[in-house]
Amino acid sequence: DIRRLYDAIRVANRLREMYQAYQVGESNEPMDFTTSLREMVNIALRMNHAQNVKDVARRVILPKIGDRRQRVMVDQTINAVLP
């Protein structure tokens, strides 16, 4: 479904925006993780087996973030983008 893929892309774009803002000094919230094409492919492949994009995005992205604070921030961002 194209809408679910669009939702996954919205999450990735928001996380990339957060990463870029931190890297250029526009944000004080540390963000060392950027969503890569690899994560997007994994999300797209797993969406074939699951209905909920939010759950798939969380299962793919959150385990790759080592810092607990960043993991919580990313989880909150996923929840905000995909209510």
Side-chain angles (χ1 to χ4, degrees), residues 52-78:
N52 191 337
V53 178
K54 183 192 301 188
D55 290 342
V56 173
R58 292 170 75 200
R59 279 194 301 250
V60 169
I61 295 171
L62 294 180
K64 296 184 179 196
I65 303 172
D67 183 88
R68 183 182 182 282
R69 185 173 162 200
Q70 286 183 33
R71 198 169 39 247
V72 168
M73 185 172 57
V74 169
D75 190 31
Q76 291 172 345
T77 301
I78 293 170

Side-chain angles (χ1 to χ4, degrees), residues 26-68:
E26 294 175 358
S27 172
N28 292 330
E29 289 293 331
M31 182 66 165
D32 297 327
F33 177 81
T34 184
T35 308
S36 69
L37 183 58
R38 179 179 299 165
E39 282 84 33
M40 290 306 300
V41 169
N42 286 340
I43 290 170
L45 290 172
R46 290 181 185 208
M47 282 190 328
N48 290 331
H49 306 290
Q51 296 298 318
N52 191 337
V53 178
K54 183 192 301 188
D55 290 342
V56 173
R58 292 170 75 200
R59 279 194 301 250
V60 169
I61 295 171
L62 294 180
K64 296 184 179 196
I65 303 172
D67 183 88
R68 183 182 182 282

Side-chain angles (χ1 to χ4, degrees), residues 2-16 35 39-40 43-44 47 53-54 56-57 61 81-82:
I2 295 296
R3 179 159 303 282
R4 292 188 311 147
L5 189 56
Y6 174 72
D7 287 342
I9 291 169
R10 283 183 27 228
V11 169
N13 284 340
R14 180 64 190 128
L15 295 176
R16 283 190 208 106
T35 308
E39 282 84 33
M40 290 306 300
I43 290 170
M47 282 190 328
V53 178
K54 183 192 301 188
V56 173
I61 295 171
V81 172
L82 301 174

Side-chain angles (χ1 to χ4, degrees), residues 15-29:
L15 295 176
R16 283 190 208 106
E17 289 169 1
M18 292 167 58
Y19 174 80
Q20 183 179 11
Y22 179 66
Q23 296 301 315
V24 297
E26 294 175 358
S27 172
N28 292 330
E29 289 293 331

